[in-house]
Amino acid sequence: MRTVTLNNGTAVPVLGLGTWRMGERSSERAAEVKALTLGLELGIRLIDTAEMYGEGKAEEIVADAVAGRRDEIYIVSKVYPHNASRKGAIAACERSLKRLKTDRIDLYLLHWRGSHPLSETVEAFETLKKDGKIKSWGVSNLDADDMRELEGVPAGKDCMSDQVLYHLGSRGIEWALLPYCQKAKIMVMAYSPLGQGPILRLPALKIIADKHGCEPAAIALAWVLRQPGVIAIPKASNPDHLRANMKALDVVLDADDLAALDTAFPPPKRGSPLDMT
Ligand SMILES: NC(=O)c1ccc[n+]([C@@H]2O[C@H](COP(=O)([O-])OP(=O)(O)OC[C@H]3O[C@@H](n4cnc5c(N)ncnc54)[C@H](OP(=O)(O)O)[C@@H]3O)[C@@H](O)[C@H]2O)c1
């Protein structure tokens, strides 16, 4: 699998698995563990989760899925903004570690910006790093202005990633945030890279998918992954979806494909607030 290299030298696989909405119904638990396990069997080595997902239950599902192969898997989790104080973030991380049945989280993110000062959250993250409980830290849903502010707080430059909404139907980050992160070598993790589904039914994608002999989802993911320094974390519970998404790694979009996608899903013409839905 291709990788993006973080500022600390760690190579991170470009395609991972999301877990939002997992852990919400106990009747689905076994199927959700199975979906993640199948993803790992197909070659995925990164799982994205959060203390918020299923109020901790998604992290427990991740623990079951990675049991016996923890060292092979790059685990990303996130702290709620209301827990992101100097002490609160440390306690939240320890709870996540217990649910994940592991001794460290590979990348720990502030889920979105809340009322605790960034400097406090970063201090907690640096303590967690020093204690070996996280390998590195980052943020999520921070726009370019927030990222500039973060850069100015003590140890703020140790931010490894910003996880933000990015898909064909939502290209706002291309205006300022993406160039900022690419220049600073801060990895962008594209969440909802399939636009949660509806964009996949648009004819422009279907035509290009037929040309490449794959599903529209593989084109949508290959399009996100064409950007240097960007990885994608689609969520797929359906085994056919998982297999279809893996094909994204083999697709190389040519200039005609990119031009057709720009026509169907135009790039931004001006700056706008960061999209989160
Ligand atoms: N940091 C944040 O604030 C934030 C916010 C949102 C999401 N995230 C993370 O990003 C992950 C992905 O985002 P997301 O779950 O919002 O949306 P997404 O990955 O864009 O879309 C997921 C939806 O697409 C479907 N799907 C997957 N593969 C498909 C395929 N090949 N063909 C057709 N449909 C397909 C899935 O169905 P099935 O499940 O039935 O396969 C699911 O309904 C989340 O799970 C979470 O880990 C982070």
Side-chain angles (χ1 to χ4, degrees):
M1 167 125 22
R2 286 198 324 267
T3 57
V4 164
T5 303
L6 300 180
N7 264 331
N8 66 6
T10 305
V12 178
V14 294
L15 193 60
L17 291 173
T19 62
W20 187 28
R21 303 216 191 284
M22 288 191 179
E24 292 179 359
R25 283 179 303 274
S26 51
S27 58
E28 298 291 315
R29 186 186 169 111
E32 289 166 351
V33 173
K34 209 167 152 195
L36 292 181
T37 307
L38 174 62
L40 301 182
E41 277 163 17
L42 293 173
I44 299 279
R45 290 291 175 270
L46 182 149
I47 300 182
D48 177 77
T49 190
E51 64 171 336
M52 184 186 103
Y53 302 163
E55 288 303 326
K57 293 275 192 305
E59 291 181 322
E60 293 174 7
I61 286 168
V62 172
D64 285 359
V66 306
R69 60 199 311 179
R70 166 68 186 97
D71 291 348
E72 296 166 43
I73 316 299
Y74 193 86
I75 295 181
V76 182
S77 193
K78 315 183 196 80
V79 59
Y80 264 126
H82 63 256
N83 284 337
S85 62
R86 201 178 286 113
K87 283 189 176 159
I90 290 172
C93 180
E94 283 167 355
R95 291 193 295 271
S96 285
L97 288 171
K98 276 207 186 84
R99 289 188 292 259
L100 287 161
K101 298 198 181 108
T102 185
D103 58 351
R104 82 282 178 197
I105 290 168
D106 296 285
L107 179 62
Y108 195 45
L109 309 178
L110 170 63
H111 207 149
W112 64 91
R113 198 170 174 179
S115 57
H116 294 294
L118 290 174
S119 57
E120 266 202 41
T121 308
V122 171
E123 202 183 319
F125 284 171
E126 286 292 317
T127 302
L128 286 165
K129 208 166 73 179
K130 184 169 59 59
D131 293 344
K133 291 175 181 166
I134 65 173
K135 293 278 181 201
S136 55
W137 63 265
V139 292
S140 177
N141 296 304
L142 259 63
D143 209 344
D145 288 346
D146 297 309
M147 292 305 282
R148 272 183 221 104
E149 188 182 329
L150 177 63
E151 200 184 328
V153 311
K157 286 200 175 71
D158 284 340
C159 172
M160 292 294 139
S161 182
D162 191 9
Q163 182 178 120
V164 289
L165 181 76
Y166 185 47
H167 59 78
L168 275 162
S170 180
R171 300 182 58 173
I173 67 163
E174 290 174 24
W175 188 260
L177 180 64
L178 182 59
Y180 174 90
C181 289
Q182 286 173 326
K183 189 158 176 250
K185 299 213 178 310
I186 293 172
M187 177 176 77
V188 169
M189 296 181 77
Y191 75 67
S192 306
L194 303 170
Q196 302 189 334
I199 57 165
L200 303 177
R201 290 190 286 275
L202 296 179
L205 264 183
K206 175 84 177 111
I207 292 165
I208 300 171
D210 287 347
K211 175 179 146 186
H212 287 271
C214 64
E215 295 295 320
I219 300 298
L221 294 172
W223 178 86
V224 165
L225 297 179
R226 84 205 183 285
Q227 291 278 8
V230 177
I231 73 165
I233 46 165
K235 181 244 173 192
S237 315
N238 176 323
D240 292 339
H241 288 166
L242 277 166
R243 290 192 183 89
N245 295 351
M246 292 302 290
K247 293 265 174 10
L249 298 170
D250 305 324
V251 172
V252 180
L253 298 170
D254 63 27
D256 290 344
D257 300 331
L258 294 173
L261 290 169
D262 277 347
T263 303
F265 305 96
K269 292 200 178 68
R270 62 190 70 83
S272 57
L274 186 62
D275 195 3
M276 295 188 206
T277 50

